[in-house]
Each structure stands twice: as structure tokens, then as C-alpha cells.
Amino acid sequence: MEEHIERNKRVLEQWERFHRQEPVDESAVRPLILRSWKRCRLQGVRPDNASKVSLSPAALEKLLDRNADLVAVAKSIMEKLYNPISTSRSFISLSDAQGIVLHALWDNTGSYPIPHLAPGNLAAESASGTNAIGTCLVEHTPVETLASEHYCRSFHGWFCSAAPIRDSRNAIVGVLNVTLPSALYHHHTRGMMEAAAHAIAEQLRLRLLLQEQKAIIEMLDEGVVVLEGDGTIRTLNNKAQAMLDLPPDAVHGNIQDIIFSSDIIRAILSESGQFSDQEAFLQLKGGSLNCMLSLTRLESGKGRVLTLRETKRIKESAVRVTGAKAVYTFDHIVGNAPATQEVVRMARMAAQSDVTTLILGESGTGKELFAQSIHNGGRRANAPFVVVNCGALPRNLVQSELFGYDEGSFTGASRLGKPGKFELADNGTIFLDEIGEMPLEAQVSLLRLLQNGEVTRVGGKHTRLVNVRVLAATNRNLENAIRQNAFREDLYYRLNVFTLVLPPLRSRMSDIELLAEHFLLKFAGSLGKDVRGFTPGALALLRRYQWPGNIRELENVIERMVHMSQGVPSIDIDVLPANILNHEGIPGACRVPPSLGGSFRIRRRRPSSGRFRRPGATSGRPRRPSAFPGAACTSRCAVSACRRTSAGRVREEGRWEIWRGRGNFL
């Protein structure tokens, strides 16, 4: 204490000499303090008394709004610091980066003067001279000012200790200061203030981080719930709060008090619990929620993040989930034949309602094209369009794929179950292609769904209402299938509400040229070929062919012809497939490639009653394989019934029935 008094006397002597503008003993005054005195003299600060610079109430209110987080964090720490010294005529203050006091604690019942520490007052050196706050802001370091070290005489009875508060970029955002009577000086005060300022800075950074995280999760279009290991809710966004119908104080609750589905709770709280995009049926206090759940464990292993997506969002993403997309409209249907125009007219009528529609037609007639056009032409155009190929589904998985399954339905089933195609198509359209191949047991469930609009998952206890427009297609004769007990009669009548019968290509021969030119333009563009049309001879052969594969066969033929065209503006008969040439009975001969060896018999296919004779169905001979697909005939065949090329010969890819010896197929 005596040392402290003696030091103050020496400093006071030098203070008086400084203000008399006499030489100062720099060994008696700390360099930091002397630098501050010189700055204050240059700024014209009055040494006899500090000037009082205060903000207006309105300006102070705006300043407090800008520094709300700083004040909110610092208040609790300042109160802890002030409680032990509250009876010692002491002050604790918080200033911003310019030295304006934002918040202060003091015993305002006393009669002692309040220095420059009232909220709204400026504590910078320019107004209050050398003091811990102002000098700290200039020197960017913790500062203590004791008694005579203050530039203004009115502060010589006080001891101040201030420490800067820095943000994540190390910039000063405020100053924490304690002011005590000079007799209460203690050398540990500086360390205490530095620790308190650091604590405020850390809490500010944490608060900012939480605010950023909160802003991020609030931007998400899905519910987010952050859980402790025992299920206690750490935080959640407004989306989750609304989906789960929770009150504002639910953040302090436990997920087990909100979701009453035991199997889902077990999955969430499991030690190894982690899953993605699992649909769940949640039982809540006020009802139920059908949503998609994802669970991610935090790296610390002590918490997890649960996300919830609305069912409607799931349905809107059905295209992505199923890989199906309705891209065709009625504008994509090519044809002017009366049969074509009539079926398009009927399809447009079907598109105007949600009537169940059965599309019949041979393979390759464009059943899915019409299904997509009907979907896009109706009010469900922006809703999901889900395609199911009933003939491609494994028999034992048809039920689960169409109608979904719940937890534990079978070995390998997902823990939270899985929605079926009908649930994914809710409010949209489902296209059941090859409906004639659906197993009888699945037909029973489909009939129930069409009648009641309800889906019951495999192994499930709950029914789910779905609103789905059903389009079905087949190339089978369903009436014959009914007689053979391969298709349910009641399901047939339920599907056959509105029927479209697509004409085969041979019934709309006037469309062949139009379709051929359409496909030619398509493939010429994609393959980079400068092909602009067909020769009359090639076009005549395309018109005469019966096209058992319908439009799909025509498309494939045109693609092949464009591929084979080499530097010619028009496609000629030299690139026509052999089956089209043979259909015309074009004579010719072909040499068998020598590499094949052996003894061969080569015979051209010839049409019989508008259809090709089945390979191997010749009199007195066993049935043989239909073609030799691996070799292309390289000989030039004489063609008498078609227009000859300039070389007088036509190159034809041979498709021959070839066998050697006693029925050994090559």
C-alpha cells in the first residue's frame, strides 16, 4: 500500500510538470500513459475537468439496438463481477468501439459523483482525457489508469481497469471497464477484467454461430430437430414446430413426448440409428403426420439431427424417385390418317376428366405416348406421373412395389417401411403398363384400391387415402385372359371405363411417309447426317411393308438407315433392311462368307398372308432359329423389282436362315 502511495506521488509531480510544460521524468511515468497525455494535449482536452459529451436519448436507443447482442451477453457477466464490489463505491461499464457507454452498474444511491460512465456518455480520450476505456481503444490492449495517471484532475481519486472485447476477426467491438476508488487498487484486477472480456467475446461468437445456424435451418423447406442423445430437443426450426404442431416452449421437451410411434422412436434413439428419406406415419398428440424422415448423428456422437419433409414434397419429387417423367403431349403425336385423328380425339376427351382409361393396342403403337399426353392434357399435368411396368416386376415384389410395406413385413425390409407407387402418385397419375401381366393376387388389391381409394401397405395396420388417376395399357386380349382365368373379370370392368384402341401402323398407311420424315429429321440431327429425304423407290417400299412392329419398328428402321447413309442427300433402297426388301420378293443371290465354312442352305424369308413365315416352319423339317444375326452379307445382290443404283447393284444386309449339318445352329 505504501508503495502504491509513493508511486502516485511521483506520478502526480510529473503530471503537474507536464501541464506546466516542463520536462517530465519519463522513468516515473509509464510510456503508455505519457503517450496518452501528449495526445490529450494535442486534442485540447481540459486538464482541470473532463468535458461531458452525451448522446441524445433517441441516438442512444439506436446505438443500443445495433449492439443488442453485445449488451445481452455482457449483462450477466457484468452482474457477476459487480456483486462482490457493489458496496465499495464502484462502477462497471460496457462501451462500444467508439467509447460510448452502453451499459453501466453502480450504486446510484450514494452522494459521490458519477464520472464519465453513465450510458450515452463518451469515454474516449478526446472527451475524458487519459482513462482506461479511451486509452484501451487507442492502444488496442488492456489498460489500467491509477489516480494521477488520469489526464483530468477530476478522475485522480479513481482506479480504472479496462480490457477490449474482440470479435472472431480480432476487431474490437467493445470495452469492459471497472472503476474503483484508488485506495482499492489491486494488481489482480487486470487479469480479472481480461478473463471477463474474453468470456464475453466467446459467448458472442457462440451466439453468432447459433444465429447463423438458426438462420440456415429456418431457410430450409423442411423441419429440422436437433436432439440430445436421450431425445431431449436442443433446438428446432419453425417448420418442424408447425409440422409437429408444437407450442413455442417445446424446445425444452423430449421427442418421446411428441411422437408416440414406438417403432419410430426406437429408430431415432438407437445407438447406431442413421437413415435417409424413410417415409413414416407419425402418431402425434393432436393427430398424425405422414412425412419423410432422415436421421444424422453428430460427429460428437452425443446428439443427432432429425429432418422431416412434407408428404406433398415427396409426391412432387416422385418423378425423381421413380425415374419417370411425362414429357409428351398431344402435339408429339404424328399422323393425319382418319384412324389416328379419331383416337387422338377420344384421348383428348379422356384427358378432360379423371376417368380410369384402358389403352389397348399392339406393341409399338405408342401406348405410353398416349398415356403421357392424357396426363399432360388434364388438370394433373403438374402432379406426379408414375410408370409401373407390371410385366417387369418380380412376382413376389409386385404387392410391395405397388402398395408399399411397413416395418418388418419381410426379411430385408427397411426399418421405417417404404411407400408404394400409388402413394408416390398421390394427386397425380399412375400408368400401369402391361396390366395383363399382373399376378392375380395383386389384382385383388388393385381392385380394392380402385373402389375405395385406400392403400394398405404389406404388413401394415393403417390405410392411407390416395387420389390417383389410373391409366392402364396392354397388348393382350383381356377377354381371352379372363376366359383362361389369368385376369379378374371384375377388375377388367373396373378398368374398362374409357377405352382407347390404338390402330396398328398397317391401318394408317397414309401416316407412314409423315412418320418416316419425322424420324429422319430427328436422327439426322442427332447423328449429324446431312440426309434430307427418301428416294421414291425407298419410300414406296416403306409404304408397302406391313410393319408388324408398328411405329417402334419404323423408328428403328429409320435410325438404322440414317446410320448407314454415307454422303448421300436421300435415303435409297440400298440401305433398306433385308426383311423389307424380301417382303417385296426382290430376287437376288448372296455369297456366304468363306470364313463360315461347311455346307449351308440359304433361303430368303417370304411373306405369307401379310406375315412372315416362322423360321424353321418348312415342310418336313424341324423348326430352326430364325436368323443369323452376326454376319452382314457383303455381296452385291441383283435387284430387279426395284430402281437400280448408278452402279447397277444394291448392297443389302442379309438376314438369312442358315444352318449346317443336322440342325446345328450357327
Side-chain angles (χ1 to χ4, degrees), residues 30-200:
R30 290 185 293 155
L32 179 145
I33 297 298
L34 189 55
R35 289 196 302 270
S36 178
W37 287 357
K38 293 177 180 179
R39 289 193 298 268
C40 294
R41 175 185 287 174
L42 291 174
Q43 295 175 14
V45 180
R46 294 161 45 191
D48 293 334
N49 200 3
S51 60
K52 184 178 179 181
V53 179
S54 302
L55 296 181
S56 66
L60 178 60
E61 185 176 356
K62 291 182 179 179
L63 185 64
L64 290 174
D65 287 340
R66 291 197 299 269
N67 293 273
D69 287 340
L70 174 62
V71 175
V73 171
K75 274 185 176 181
S76 61
I77 295 176
M78 291 172 66
E79 289 173 358
K80 293 178 181 178
L81 289 175
Y82 182 69
N83 286 336
I85 61 174
S86 59
T87 60
S88 61
R89 301 178 67 236
S90 303
F91 301 79
I92 291 184
S93 65
L94 173 72
S95 306
D96 70 354
Q98 283 70 48
I100 300 173
V101 179
L102 301 173
H103 182 67
L105 298 175
W106 72 91
D107 183 7
N108 56 9
T109 61
S111 60
Y112 56 89
I114 300 175
H116 54 298
L117 301 176
N121 288 358
L122 179 63
E125 285 184 343
S126 60
S128 302
T130 303
N131 69 92
I133 298 173
T135 306
C136 172
L137 289 172
V138 176
E139 298 287 341
H140 294 175
T141 188
V143 172
E144 290 183 334
T145 52
L146 176 62
S148 304
E149 290 181 331
H150 291 93
Y151 188 82
C152 298
R153 190 187 301 273
S154 59
F155 299 149
H156 281 189
W158 300 96
F159 161 65
C160 303
S161 181
I165 302 170
R166 301 180 183 272
D167 62 12
S168 57
R169 298 171 296 177
N170 206 37
I172 296 177
V173 295
V175 176
L176 184 66
N177 173 76
V178 61
T179 300
L180 304 164
S182 60
L184 298 179
Y185 167 80
H186 197 282
H187 64 276
H188 289 312
T189 305
R190 174 170 175 165
M192 179 185 69
M193 298 306 295
E194 289 185 40
H198 180 74
I200 294 174

Side-chain angles (χ1 to χ4, degrees), residues 225-234 268-274 295-306:
V225 185
V226 182
L227 302 171
E228 302 285 358
D230 62 353
T232 301
I233 299 174
R234 187 184 301 173
I268 293 173
L269 300 182
S270 171
E271 289 294 328
S272 59
Q274 190 159 329
L295 184 72
T296 302
R297 296 180 63 84
L298 300 178
E299 292 185 3
S300 63
K302 298 181 179 180
R304 58 210 71 193
V305 179
L306 182 69

Side-chain angles (χ1 to χ4, degrees), residues 478-497:
L478 294 183
E479 293 180 353
N480 287 341
I482 292 172
R483 287 191 288 269
Q484 298 168 4
N485 294 322
F487 201 84
R488 292 182 61 93
E489 185 175 12
D490 47 3
L491 177 59
Y492 171 71
Y493 293 130
R494 190 66 184 81
L495 292 171
N496 195 27
V497 179

